[in-house]
PDB file of all heavy atoms in Angstrom:
ATOM      1  N   LEU A  77      92.775  85.753 106.869  1.00  0.00           N
ATOM      2  CA  LEU A  77      93.743  84.665 106.743  1.00  0.00           C
ATOM      3  C   LEU A  77      94.689  84.569 107.932  1.00  0.00           C
ATOM      4  O   LEU A  77      95.191  83.484 108.239  1.00  0.00           O
ATOM      5  CB  LEU A  77      94.581  84.864 105.469  1.00  0.00           C
ATOM      6  CG  LEU A  77      93.993  84.371 104.150  1.00  0.00           C
ATOM      7  CD1 LEU A  77      94.907  84.762 102.998  1.00  0.00           C
ATOM      8  CD2 LEU A  77      93.783  82.867 104.176  1.00  0.00           C
ATOM      9  N   GLN A  78      94.940  85.691 108.595  1.00  0.00           N
ATOM     10  CA  GLN A  78      95.959  85.703 109.647  1.00  0.00           C
ATOM     11  C   GLN A  78      95.740  84.623 110.711  1.00  0.00           C
ATOM     12  O   GLN A  78      96.654  83.828 110.979  1.00  0.00           O
ATOM     13  CB  GLN A  78      96.060  87.083 110.295  1.00  0.00           C
ATOM     14  CG  GLN A  78      97.171  87.150 111.340  1.00  0.00           C
ATOM     15  CD  GLN A  78      97.379  88.550 111.897  1.00  0.00           C
ATOM     16  OE1 GLN A  78      96.516  89.416 111.772  1.00  0.00           O
ATOM     17  NE2 GLN A  78      98.528  88.776 112.493  1.00  0.00           N
ATOM     18  N   PRO A  79      94.567  84.550 111.345  1.00  0.00           N
ATOM     19  CA  PRO A  79      94.414  83.506 112.372  1.00  0.00           C
ATOM     20  C   PRO A  79      94.366  82.094 111.801  1.00  0.00           C
ATOM     21  O   PRO A  79      94.828  81.149 112.445  1.00  0.00           O
ATOM     22  CB  PRO A  79      93.085  83.876 113.045  1.00  0.00           C
ATOM     23  CG  PRO A  79      92.339  84.675 112.019  1.00  0.00           C
ATOM     24  CD  PRO A  79      93.379  85.419 111.251  1.00  0.00           C
ATOM     25  N   ARG A  80      93.848  81.961 110.594  1.00  0.00           N
ATOM     26  CA  ARG A  80      93.739  80.622 109.998  1.00  0.00           C
ATOM     27  C   ARG A  80      95.105  80.052 109.662  1.00  0.00           C
ATOM     28  O   ARG A  80      95.329  78.841 109.770  1.00  0.00           O
ATOM     29  CB  ARG A  80      92.866  80.680 108.744  1.00  0.00           C
ATOM     30  CG  ARG A  80      91.401  80.951 109.030  1.00  0.00           C
ATOM     31  CD  ARG A  80      90.620  81.251 107.776  1.00  0.00           C
ATOM     32  NE  ARG A  80      90.771  80.206 106.765  1.00  0.00           N
ATOM     33  CZ  ARG A  80      90.319  80.330 105.514  1.00  0.00           C
ATOM     34  NH1 ARG A  80      89.709  81.441 105.137  1.00  0.00           N
ATOM     35  NH2 ARG A  80      90.491  79.333 104.656  1.00  0.00           N
ATOM     36  N   LEU A  81      96.046  80.939 109.255  1.00  0.00           N
ATOM     37  CA  LEU A  81      97.378  80.474 108.861  1.00  0.00           C
ATOM     38  C   LEU A  81      98.457  80.821 109.878  1.00  0.00           C
ATOM     39  O   LEU A  81      99.638  80.566 109.646  1.00  0.00           O
ATOM     40  CB  LEU A  81      97.753  81.085 107.501  1.00  0.00           C
ATOM     41  CG  LEU A  81      96.826  80.764 106.325  1.00  0.00           C
ATOM     42  CD1 LEU A  81      97.332  81.432 105.050  1.00  0.00           C
ATOM     43  CD2 LEU A  81      96.702  79.262 106.122  1.00  0.00           C
ATOM     44  N   SER A  82      98.046  81.414 111.002  1.00  0.00           N
ATOM     45  CA  SER A  82      98.997  81.838 112.045  1.00  0.00           C
ATOM     46  C   SER A  82     100.087  82.743 111.470  1.00  0.00           C
ATOM     47  O   SER A  82     101.281  82.555 111.732  1.00  0.00           O
ATOM     48  CB  SER A  82      99.629  80.617 112.734  1.00  0.00           C
ATOM     49  OG  SER A  82      98.642  79.819 113.337  1.00  0.00           O
ATOM     50  N   LEU A  83      99.658  83.735 110.696  1.00  0.00           N
ATOM     51  CA  LEU A  83     100.600  84.643 110.045  1.00  0.00           C
ATOM     52  C   LEU A  83     101.098  85.697 111.020  1.00  0.00           C
ATOM     53  O   LEU A  83     100.363  86.149 111.901  1.00  0.00           O
ATOM     54  CB  LEU A  83      99.928  85.333 108.851  1.00  0.00           C
ATOM     55  CG  LEU A  83      99.438  84.412 107.733  1.00  0.00           C
ATOM     56  CD1 LEU A  83      98.678  85.214 106.683  1.00  0.00           C
ATOM     57  CD2 LEU A  83     100.610  83.673 107.092  1.00  0.00           C
ATOM     58  N   SER A  84     102.348  86.105 110.849  1.00  0.00           N
ATOM     59  CA  SER A  84     102.936  87.132 111.711  1.00  0.00           C
ATOM     60  C   SER A  84     102.390  88.506 111.352  1.00  0.00           C
ATOM     61  O   SER A  84     101.870  88.720 110.244  1.00  0.00           O
ATOM     62  CB  SER A  84     104.458  87.135 111.554  1.00  0.00           C
ATOM     63  OG  SER A  84     104.811  87.582 110.249  1.00  0.00           O
TER      64      SER A  84
END
Side-chain angles (χ1 to χ4, degrees):
L77 277 175
Q78 183 174 18
R80 291 170 54 189
L81 300 180
S82 300
L83 299 175
S84 68

